Short mmCIF file of all heavy atoms in Angstrom, two decimals:
data_model
loop_
_atom_site.label_atom_id
_atom_site.label_comp_id
_atom_site.label_asym_id
_atom_site.label_seq_id
_atom_site.Cartn_x
_atom_site.Cartn_y
_atom_site.Cartn_z
N LEU A 1312 -13.28 46.90 -20.24
CA LEU A 1312 -14.13 45.88 -20.85
C LEU A 1312 -14.17 45.95 -22.37
O LEU A 1312 -14.41 44.95 -23.04
CB LEU A 1312 -15.56 45.98 -20.30
CG LEU A 1312 -15.72 45.60 -18.82
CD1 LEU A 1312 -17.14 45.85 -18.35
CD2 LEU A 1312 -15.36 44.13 -18.60
N ASP A 1313 -13.90 47.14 -22.94
CA ASP A 1313 -13.95 47.27 -24.40
C ASP A 1313 -12.58 47.11 -25.06
O ASP A 1313 -12.41 47.39 -26.25
CB ASP A 1313 -14.57 48.62 -24.80
CG ASP A 1313 -13.80 49.80 -24.22
OD1 ASP A 1313 -12.80 49.56 -23.47
OD2 ASP A 1313 -14.17 50.96 -24.49
N THR A 1314 -11.59 46.64 -24.29
CA THR A 1314 -10.24 46.47 -24.83
C THR A 1314 -10.25 45.45 -25.97
O THR A 1314 -10.88 44.39 -25.87
CB THR A 1314 -9.27 45.99 -23.74
OG1 THR A 1314 -9.26 46.94 -22.68
CG2 THR A 1314 -7.86 45.82 -24.28
N ARG A 1315 -9.51 45.80 -27.03
CA ARG A 1315 -9.40 44.87 -28.16
C ARG A 1315 -7.92 44.52 -28.40
O ARG A 1315 -7.03 45.31 -28.12
CB ARG A 1315 -10.00 45.47 -29.43
CG ARG A 1315 -11.51 45.59 -29.35
CD ARG A 1315 -12.13 46.02 -30.67
NE ARG A 1315 -13.59 46.06 -30.57
CZ ARG A 1315 -14.39 45.02 -30.79
NH1 ARG A 1315 -13.87 43.87 -31.15
NH2 ARG A 1315 -15.70 45.13 -30.67
N LEU A 1316 -7.71 43.33 -28.94
CA LEU A 1316 -6.36 42.88 -29.28
C LEU A 1316 -5.97 43.45 -30.64
O LEU A 1316 -6.78 44.08 -31.33
CB LEU A 1316 -6.32 41.35 -29.32
CG LEU A 1316 -6.66 40.66 -27.99
CD1 LEU A 1316 -6.79 39.15 -28.20
CD2 LEU A 1316 -5.59 40.95 -26.94
N LYS A 1317 -4.72 43.24 -31.06
CA LYS A 1317 -4.23 43.79 -32.32
C LYS A 1317 -5.04 43.31 -33.51
O LYS A 1317 -5.19 44.02 -34.51
CB LYS A 1317 -2.76 43.41 -32.51
CG LYS A 1317 -1.82 44.15 -31.56
CD LYS A 1317 -0.37 43.71 -31.76
CE LYS A 1317 0.54 44.42 -30.76
NZ LYS A 1317 1.94 43.95 -30.86
N ASP A 1318 -5.57 42.08 -33.42
CA ASP A 1318 -6.35 41.56 -34.55
C ASP A 1318 -7.81 42.02 -34.53
O ASP A 1318 -8.62 41.59 -35.35
CB ASP A 1318 -6.29 40.02 -34.57
CG ASP A 1318 -6.94 39.39 -33.34
OD1 ASP A 1318 -7.45 40.13 -32.48
OD2 ASP A 1318 -6.93 38.14 -33.23
N GLY A 1319 -8.13 42.90 -33.56
CA GLY A 1319 -9.49 43.44 -33.50
C GLY A 1319 -10.44 42.65 -32.62
O GLY A 1319 -11.55 43.11 -32.35
N SER A 1320 -10.03 41.49 -32.15
CA SER A 1320 -10.92 40.67 -31.31
C SER A 1320 -10.92 41.23 -29.88
O SER A 1320 -10.00 41.93 -29.47
CB SER A 1320 -10.48 39.21 -31.32
OG SER A 1320 -9.17 39.10 -30.80
N MET A 1321 -11.98 40.88 -29.15
CA MET A 1321 -12.12 41.37 -27.78
C MET A 1321 -11.07 40.74 -26.87
O MET A 1321 -10.79 39.55 -26.96
CB MET A 1321 -13.51 41.04 -27.25
CG MET A 1321 -14.65 41.68 -28.01
SD MET A 1321 -14.66 43.48 -27.83
CE MET A 1321 -15.02 43.67 -26.08
N PHE A 1322 -10.49 41.56 -25.97
CA PHE A 1322 -9.55 41.03 -24.99
C PHE A 1322 -10.29 40.12 -24.01
O PHE A 1322 -9.86 39.01 -23.71
CB PHE A 1322 -8.87 42.18 -24.22
CG PHE A 1322 -7.94 41.71 -23.14
CD1 PHE A 1322 -6.63 41.37 -23.44
CD2 PHE A 1322 -8.37 41.58 -21.81
CE1 PHE A 1322 -5.76 40.92 -22.44
CE2 PHE A 1322 -7.51 41.14 -20.82
CZ PHE A 1322 -6.21 40.82 -21.14
N TRP A 1323 -11.44 40.61 -23.50
CA TRP A 1323 -12.22 39.84 -22.53
C TRP A 1323 -13.17 38.91 -23.26
O TRP A 1323 -14.36 39.18 -23.40
CB TRP A 1323 -13.00 40.76 -21.59
CG TRP A 1323 -12.13 41.54 -20.66
CD1 TRP A 1323 -11.88 42.88 -20.69
CD2 TRP A 1323 -11.39 41.03 -19.55
NE1 TRP A 1323 -11.02 43.24 -19.68
CE2 TRP A 1323 -10.70 42.12 -18.96
CE3 TRP A 1323 -11.21 39.75 -19.00
CZ2 TRP A 1323 -9.88 41.98 -17.85
CZ3 TRP A 1323 -10.39 39.62 -17.89
CH2 TRP A 1323 -9.73 40.72 -17.33
N GLN A 1324 -12.65 37.83 -23.77
CA GLN A 1324 -13.50 36.79 -24.33
C GLN A 1324 -13.00 35.43 -23.87
O GLN A 1324 -11.84 35.29 -23.51
CB GLN A 1324 -13.56 36.88 -25.86
CG GLN A 1324 -12.26 36.61 -26.58
CD GLN A 1324 -12.47 36.46 -28.08
OE1 GLN A 1324 -13.28 35.65 -28.51
NE2 GLN A 1324 -11.77 37.25 -28.87
N SER A 1325 -13.89 34.47 -23.90
CA SER A 1325 -13.60 33.14 -23.37
C SER A 1325 -12.26 32.62 -23.92
O SER A 1325 -11.97 32.78 -25.10
CB SER A 1325 -14.73 32.21 -23.78
OG SER A 1325 -14.56 30.94 -23.25
N PRO A 1326 -11.41 32.06 -23.05
CA PRO A 1326 -11.71 31.71 -21.66
C PRO A 1326 -11.46 32.83 -20.64
O PRO A 1326 -11.65 32.59 -19.45
CB PRO A 1326 -10.78 30.54 -21.41
CG PRO A 1326 -9.59 30.79 -22.28
CD PRO A 1326 -10.13 31.46 -23.50
N LYS A 1327 -11.03 34.03 -21.08
CA LYS A 1327 -10.80 35.11 -20.11
C LYS A 1327 -12.15 35.64 -19.63
O LYS A 1327 -13.05 35.90 -20.42
CB LYS A 1327 -10.00 36.25 -20.75
CG LYS A 1327 -8.52 35.99 -20.89
CD LYS A 1327 -7.78 37.26 -21.27
CE LYS A 1327 -6.29 37.01 -21.38
NZ LYS A 1327 -5.95 36.24 -22.58
N ARG A 1328 -12.24 35.84 -18.31
CA ARG A 1328 -13.46 36.36 -17.71
C ARG A 1328 -13.14 37.69 -17.04
O ARG A 1328 -12.20 37.75 -16.22
CB ARG A 1328 -13.99 35.41 -16.64
CG ARG A 1328 -14.38 34.02 -17.14
CD ARG A 1328 -14.56 33.09 -15.95
NE ARG A 1328 -15.04 31.77 -16.34
CZ ARG A 1328 -16.32 31.42 -16.41
NH1 ARG A 1328 -17.25 32.31 -16.13
NH2 ARG A 1328 -16.67 30.20 -16.75
N PRO A 1329 -13.90 38.75 -17.29
CA PRO A 1329 -13.64 40.01 -16.58
C PRO A 1329 -14.07 39.89 -15.12
O PRO A 1329 -15.12 39.33 -14.83
CB PRO A 1329 -14.52 41.02 -17.34
CG PRO A 1329 -15.60 40.21 -17.96
CD PRO A 1329 -15.01 38.86 -18.25
N PRO A 1330 -13.25 40.41 -14.20
CA PRO A 1330 -13.61 40.29 -12.78
C PRO A 1330 -14.58 41.39 -12.35
O PRO A 1330 -14.68 42.44 -13.00
CB PRO A 1330 -12.26 40.46 -12.08
CG PRO A 1330 -11.50 41.37 -12.99
CD PRO A 1330 -11.94 41.04 -14.40
N SER A 1331 -15.27 41.16 -11.26
CA SER A 1331 -16.14 42.17 -10.64
C SER A 1331 -15.65 42.38 -9.21
O SER A 1331 -15.55 41.41 -8.44
CB SER A 1331 -17.59 41.71 -10.61
OG SER A 1331 -18.06 41.47 -11.92
N PRO A 1332 -15.33 43.62 -8.82
CA PRO A 1332 -14.84 43.88 -7.46
C PRO A 1332 -15.88 43.47 -6.42
O PRO A 1332 -17.09 43.61 -6.65
CB PRO A 1332 -14.60 45.39 -7.43
CG PRO A 1332 -14.58 45.81 -8.87
CD PRO A 1332 -15.44 44.85 -9.62
N ILE A 1333 -15.41 42.96 -5.29
CA ILE A 1333 -16.31 42.53 -4.21
C ILE A 1333 -16.19 43.51 -3.05
O ILE A 1333 -15.09 43.78 -2.57
CB ILE A 1333 -15.96 41.10 -3.74
CG1 ILE A 1333 -16.17 40.09 -4.88
CG2 ILE A 1333 -16.82 40.71 -2.53
CD1 ILE A 1333 -15.78 38.67 -4.52
N GLU A 1334 -17.33 44.04 -2.63
CA GLU A 1334 -17.36 44.91 -1.45
C GLU A 1334 -17.51 44.04 -0.20
O GLU A 1334 -18.36 43.16 -0.15
CB GLU A 1334 -18.54 45.89 -1.55
CG GLU A 1334 -18.40 46.93 -2.65
CD GLU A 1334 -17.28 47.93 -2.38
OE1 GLU A 1334 -16.84 48.05 -1.21
OE2 GLU A 1334 -16.84 48.58 -3.35
N PHE A 1335 -16.69 44.32 0.79
CA PHE A 1335 -16.71 43.49 1.99
C PHE A 1335 -18.02 43.65 2.76
O PHE A 1335 -18.52 44.76 2.94
CB PHE A 1335 -15.53 43.85 2.90
CG PHE A 1335 -15.49 43.04 4.16
CD1 PHE A 1335 -15.08 41.71 4.14
CD2 PHE A 1335 -15.91 43.59 5.38
CE1 PHE A 1335 -15.07 40.95 5.30
CE2 PHE A 1335 -15.90 42.83 6.54
CZ PHE A 1335 -15.48 41.51 6.50
N ASP A 1336 -18.54 42.52 3.25
CA ASP A 1336 -19.77 42.52 4.03
C ASP A 1336 -19.63 41.43 5.10
O ASP A 1336 -19.66 40.23 4.78
CB ASP A 1336 -20.98 42.23 3.14
CG ASP A 1336 -22.28 42.15 3.91
OD1 ASP A 1336 -22.27 42.42 5.13
OD2 ASP A 1336 -23.32 41.81 3.30
N ILE A 1337 -19.48 41.85 6.35
CA ILE A 1337 -19.25 40.86 7.41
C ILE A 1337 -20.44 39.92 7.59
O ILE A 1337 -20.32 38.82 8.12
CB ILE A 1337 -18.90 41.56 8.74
CG1 ILE A 1337 -18.28 40.53 9.70
CG2 ILE A 1337 -20.13 42.23 9.34
CD1 ILE A 1337 -17.68 41.12 10.94
#
Side-chain angles (χ1 to χ4, degrees):
L1312 292 175
D1313 58 358
T1314 302
R1315 291 187 177 272
L1316 299 171
K1317 289 178 182 176
D1318 63 1
S1320 61
M1321 298 293 294
F1322 177 84
W1323 292 109
Q1324 65 169 306
S1325 184
K1327 283 191 179 73
R1328 298 167 176 268
S1331 300
I1333 297 177
E1334 292 292 341
F1335 179 75
D1336 177 6
I1337 196 170

